Amino acid sequence: MMKPQRIEPKPGQESVWDYPRPPRLEDSKKHIQVIFNCETIVDTRNAKRILETSHPPVYYIPPGDIKMEYLMTQTSQSSFCEWKGNAKYYNLYVGDREIENAAWFYPEPTPRFTSIKNYVAFYAHKMDACYVDREKVTPQPGNFYGGWVTSDIIGPFKGVPGSWGW
């Protein structure tokens, strides 16, 4: 397995290789939007983001800033994060379209991450579009992780082929 080579960030950029492990949780005042089936599901400046080595940021949205009527069905899918705890998933229903396991949340996060309790993160690759400050997001490679890549975030990113052991 080849060790990834950090890309040097330019002014105004962040390298995911400068993010900590364990991850850091911080407030974000960036304008976050999520669109699915021509409906704006999220439009907020109240997100939190989690920064973890080798991963683009994951944005967690407070339920009050989400059109939760589209996330009515909680799936049986679950996963475990060594830092945040057990995650549950939502299916997304808008009009005639539905996406299974489109978003996830932590109903009982670990003490360090209690401020994201019930906040929802969306998989960018399953949405029609996600935006950070009006820039369309590129989903983190691999579709397993939920990071959002923008022009101010530099990799290489976990999720590309051969990165499982990073």
Side-chain angles (χ1 to χ4, degrees):
M1 170 177 33
M2 237 174 107
K3 183 179 178 187
Q5 296 297 310
R6 179 183 183 270
I7 299 169
E8 189 63 32
K10 295 176 183 166
Q13 292 182 319
E14 300 173 358
S15 170
V16 297
W17 293 95
D18 295 334
Y19 293 165
R21 188 166 174 86
R24 178 174 72 236
L25 172 64
E26 63 184 31
D27 292 335
S28 174
K29 293 302 177 190
K30 293 187 177 200
H31 187 200
I32 306 299
Q33 294 175 296
V34 176
I35 291 122
F36 180 73
N37 204 20
C38 299
E39 183 72 38
T40 300
I41 307 299
V42 170
D43 190 346
T44 188
R45 290 184 183 273
N46 297 311
K48 295 184 181 289
R49 69 180 194 157
I50 291 185
L51 308 176
E52 181 177 355
T53 305
S54 78
H55 297 266
V58 174
Y59 289 90
Y60 287 82
I61 315 303
D65 290 353
I66 301 170
K67 293 184 177 175
M68 292 298 291
E69 64 268 25
Y70 297 120
L71 296 172
M72 292 186 292
T73 303
Q74 187 176 334
T75 73
S76 60
Q77 173 77 19
S78 67
S79 62
F80 177 76
C81 171
E82 65 183 307
W83 310 112
K84 296 177 289 295
N86 290 307
K88 299 286 185 181
Y89 289 74
Y90 284 115
N91 290 347
L92 177 63
Y93 298 91
V94 179
D96 62 348
R97 288 180 62 199
E98 74 176 76
I99 298 290
E100 289 186 0
N101 303 318
W104 72 98
F105 69 101
Y106 292 92
E108 297 296 330
T110 61
R112 185 174 182 178
F113 292 96
T114 56
S115 68
I116 62 163
K117 181 177 181 170
N118 294 323
Y119 276 46
V120 181
F122 290 82
Y123 285 111
H125 74 278
K126 294 186 175 191
M127 302 299 105
D128 293 337
C130 297
Y131 295 92
V132 175
D133 285 342
R134 301 199 185 279
E135 178 183 348
K136 190 173 182 182
V137 167
T138 300
Q140 181 172 3
N143 294 342
F144 173 75
Y145 304 102
W148 291 13
V149 180
T150 53
S151 60
D152 60 342
I153 307 297
I154 299 298
F157 305 113
K158 182 142 185 168
V160 297
S163 67
W164 187 256
W166 290 0

